[in-house]
């Protein structure tokens, strides 16, 4: 678990902060998304992503390390079976933070932190398409420079044939 930073804390003590982050990560894995303040969401993200990385390993030691933070066995089971399987193709970036309107009452900045469940393959297909298009474009730029003399010769031959037809 990341060590608390110096300076202002989310709670009164580092121990309280660790417990708050553990409870928020439990709720995040249980429900898939939670609404909280923006500073809490930013502090929760590295912890949640590290726990998902442990879950992707799937061994006993990783399960025990996750159980130190998340005390609910059913949530740990869901993390290791469902969530880790969803995130298998993804290399990091397991959570998304979306800012929403400030809270009524104290105008604290609010955010939704959620697990990213979209498949990675769709994005990779778009990236591969873009790379292929860029390669075709770069090939098209280099080929005219190389084939320019051939094109000039072909054009000259075509005009020569046209001239011969007109002369007949």
């Amino acid at each position: 678990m990341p060590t608390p930073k110096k300076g202002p804390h989310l709670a009164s003590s580092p121990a309280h902060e660790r417990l708050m982050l553990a409870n928020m990560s439990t709720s995040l894995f249980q429900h898939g998304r939670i609404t909280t303040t923006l500073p809490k969401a930013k502090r929760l993200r590295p912890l949640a992503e590290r726990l998902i990385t442990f879950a992707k390993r799937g061994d006993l030691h990783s399960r025990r390390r996750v159980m130190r933070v998340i005390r609910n066995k059913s949530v740990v089971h869901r993390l290791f079976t469902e969530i880790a399987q969803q995130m298998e193709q993804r290399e990091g970036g397991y959570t998304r933070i979306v800012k929403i309107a400030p809270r009524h009452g104290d105008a604290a900045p609010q955010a939704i932190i959620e697990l990213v469940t979209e498949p990675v393959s769709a994005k990779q297909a778009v990236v591969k398409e873009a790379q292929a298009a860029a390669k075709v474009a770069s090939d098209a730029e280099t080929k005219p420079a190389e084939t320019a003399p051939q094109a000039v010769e072909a054009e000259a031959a075509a005009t020569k044939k046209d001239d011969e037809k007109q002369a007949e």
Side-chain angles (χ1 to χ4, degrees), residues 65-137:
R65 288 193 65 179
V66 170
M67 284 292 292
R68 289 183 200 169
V69 178
I70 300 175
R71 306 292 172 120
N72 190 338
K73 287 184 180 179
S74 62
V75 174
V76 172
H77 177 72
R78 180 168 186 260
L79 175 63
F80 274 76
T81 55
E82 298 172 18
I83 297 172
Q85 186 178 15
Q86 288 176 349
M87 306 294 180
E88 193 64 38
Q89 299 299 322
R90 190 174 293 277
E91 296 180 5
Y94 309 120
T95 57
R96 174 187 302 132
I97 296 176
V98 180
K99 295 179 185 178
I100 57 176
R103 183 165 56 199
H104 296 294
D106 64 351
Q110 293 287 99
I112 294 174
I113 182 167
E114 60 187 354
L115 297 174
V116 178
T117 57
E118 291 84 23
V120 176
S121 60
K123 183 178 178 184
Q124 287 178 344
V126 170
V127 169
K128 286 180 183 176
E129 267 184 46
Q131 288 175 345
K135 184 177 179 183
V136 168

Side-chain angles (χ1 to χ4, degrees), residues 139-168:
D139 289 345
E141 288 176 4
T142 58
K143 281 187 180 179
E146 296 170 358
T147 60
Q150 295 171 356
V152 170
E153 290 175 10
E155 212 174 292
T159 55
K160 191 175 185 181
K161 286 182 183 178
D162 288 341
D163 291 339
E164 288 175 4
K165 284 183 183 178
Q166 288 176 358
E168 292 177 0

Side-chain angles (χ1 to χ4, degrees), residues 24-57:
M24 286 193 298
S25 62
T26 301
S27 297
L28 176 65
F29 296 136
Q30 190 171 8
H31 302 291
R33 69 168 33 192
I34 58 172
T35 303
T36 184
T37 61
L38 186 60
K40 286 181 184 176
K42 287 182 176 181
R43 290 298 297 270
L44 175 61
R45 172 182 261 174
L47 174 66
E49 294 200 0
R50 187 165 184 202
L51 293 175
I52 291 172
T53 303
F54 283 137
K56 283 174 62 175
R57 289 184 195 160

